[in-house]
Amino acid sequence: MARHIAHYTLVRLLPQSDAGEFANMGVVVACPALGFFDFRLIARYGRITQFFEEFNRALFTQVRREVEAELTHLRDHLHQRQFASGRREEALALRLVQDLVQPRETMIRYAPLRVAMTEDPRQLLDQVFMRYVQRSSEETRSRREDAMVRLVREVLQQDRRLNTLFRTDEVGTPDYQVPFPLVHRHEGRALAAIKPLDLTQPDPQQIYEHGGRWAERLRRLKRLGAMPDHGVLVTTEAPPPEDERRHLAYRDIVGELQELSVQVSGVEQAGQILAFARGRIH
């Protein structure tokens, strides 16, 4: 298939323009040679509140609806012109995306245009969305769990015996390995593992999905007979109890972990973390 020039821009939300902080909330792609103009926006408000706590669900829904209406109007306008003329309106497709990125003093801004070569602009749309919008959410969660790992390491440093005994390692069989940030081994055998697990995502489904992935990994290790000999401790951070839907998701995940004989404690509960580690060193 022939490759064509495509232009894309990121949809950015700037609640406080003077601060200069923004979150990517979508992507717009135009491929003039194919008469293509389309967009993709995030669906859940939790992605935005990870960056801006004051940005609640009602405000996100309103802003997203306005952006979607504007971009849908532009897309439909191009389609109607092409249907009426019976040909691809290349100049119009390019002008639409160029007009979007003009400076504006609103909460929604568009990043400078970027260019890519593509055979399939819809596939490019999905790829750019995953790279610049979806992945940044995953990186936020990863950074939070990295901070939780550092907290647990600080707790372990209170006991000099533990300081060097728990290291990053993998647990499992030759055919299935699960990475843990803190594993204690003796004579090659995994005796204990600690996994800090962030369960504070702003959307219940995100809590279920992230926690569920770890529950499934541990379930498979148990089924394979590859759990650490002296057990696993999962240290978590919980959403506030008054947020009933998120807290229910949190409790469900904790229940799944406990059914697997996994110990669960708060990441701030130093006494429980030390007791687990001390009771399992060889």
Side-chain angles (χ1 to χ4, degrees):
M1 294 179 63
R3 290 164 62 83
H4 303 280
I5 296 175
H7 306 264
Y8 67 90
T9 178
L10 305 177
V11 186
R12 290 175 170 173
L13 174 68
L14 288 83
Q16 298 177 334
S17 58
D18 56 334
E21 296 180 343
F22 64 85
N24 294 328
M25 63 174 290
V27 178
V28 182
V29 172
C31 185
L34 299 178
F36 179 91
F37 180 99
D38 209 350
F39 64 93
R40 183 174 174 185
L41 301 174
I42 55 172
R44 299 195 184 102
Y45 76 101
R47 164 74 178 85
I48 297 301
T49 57
Q50 287 181 342
F51 290 90
F52 309 109
E53 294 181 356
E54 72 279 6
F55 212 83
N56 58 36
R57 183 173 188 171
L59 184 55
F60 166 77
T61 301
Q62 176 187 340
V63 171
R64 187 187 186 283
R65 186 182 296 122
E66 292 172 357
V67 174
E68 185 174 28
E70 177 186 19
L71 296 176
T72 299
H73 171 74
L74 297 177
R75 182 184 62 194
D76 291 349
H77 175 58
L78 176 63
H79 290 174
Q80 289 165 5
R81 283 280 298 272
Q82 293 183 147
F83 180 78
S85 67
R87 58 185 175 82
R88 292 170 180 160
E89 297 283 349
E90 297 184 28
L92 177 59
L94 179 58
R95 187 170 71 249
L96 290 178
V97 73
Q98 287 176 333
D99 288 346
L100 275 179
V101 302
Q102 295 304 308
R104 55 174 75 190
E105 297 299 322
T106 64
M107 192 178 296
I108 294 297
R109 312 284 177 89
Y110 291 85
L113 280 181
R114 306 180 188 186
V115 177
M117 299 296 295
T118 183
E119 296 177 352
D120 183 349
R122 189 163 301 283
Q123 183 180 59
L124 175 66
L125 176 63
D126 290 339
Q127 290 172 342
V128 174
F129 183 87
M130 292 300 296
R131 180 178 181 184
Y132 290 104
V133 181
Q134 189 68 36
R135 191 179 71 175
S136 57
S137 178
E138 295 169 357
E139 289 174 347
T140 298
R141 181 180 62 227
S142 177
R143 288 195 299 270
R144 191 178 186 94
E145 289 189 351
D146 287 345
M148 294 169 69
V149 170
R150 288 194 294 272
L151 286 175
V152 174
R153 289 192 185 279
E154 289 174 4
V155 170
L156 296 178
Q157 287 171 4
Q158 296 177 27
D159 188 326
R160 280 181 291 181
R161 295 176 303 163
L162 304 175
N163 195 20
T164 59
L165 292 181
F166 283 83
R167 300 179 179 180
T168 301
D169 203 347
E170 292 181 335
V171 175
T173 70
D175 297 320
Y176 183 73
Q177 297 281 319
V178 176
F180 285 85
L182 297 158
V183 177
H184 170 46
R185 286 186 177 274
H186 181 69
E187 296 181 351
R189 292 188 62 84
L191 299 186
I194 303 175
K195 166 59 186 171
L197 183 64
D198 177 26
L199 296 176
T200 63
Q201 289 80 7
D203 185 274
Q205 180 159 337
Q206 292 174 315
I207 296 174
Y208 278 119
E209 289 177 350
H210 183 52
R213 279 193 291 270
W214 269 96
E216 180 55 34
R217 289 170 181 170
L218 293 168
R219 186 176 294 110
R220 182 168 285 111
L221 284 179
K222 187 171 185 177
R223 195 160 53 238
L224 293 171
M227 288 282 271
D229 294 353
H230 297 165
V232 173
L233 172 68
V234 171
T235 62
T236 69
E237 198 168 351
E242 58 268 21
D243 191 332
E244 295 181 0
R245 293 173 58 236
R246 291 169 64 211
H247 208 262
L248 175 60
Y250 164 80
R251 293 199 307 271
D252 279 353
I253 294 299
V254 169
E256 282 189 56
L257 295 173
Q258 291 173 334
E259 288 174 359
L260 296 169
S261 302
V262 171
Q263 293 192 36
V264 180
S265 77
V267 71
E268 76 288 348
Q269 293 176 311
Q272 292 189 29
I273 295 171
L274 284 171
F276 173 86
R278 287 168 176 161
R280 285 152 182 83
I281 62 174
H282 192 276

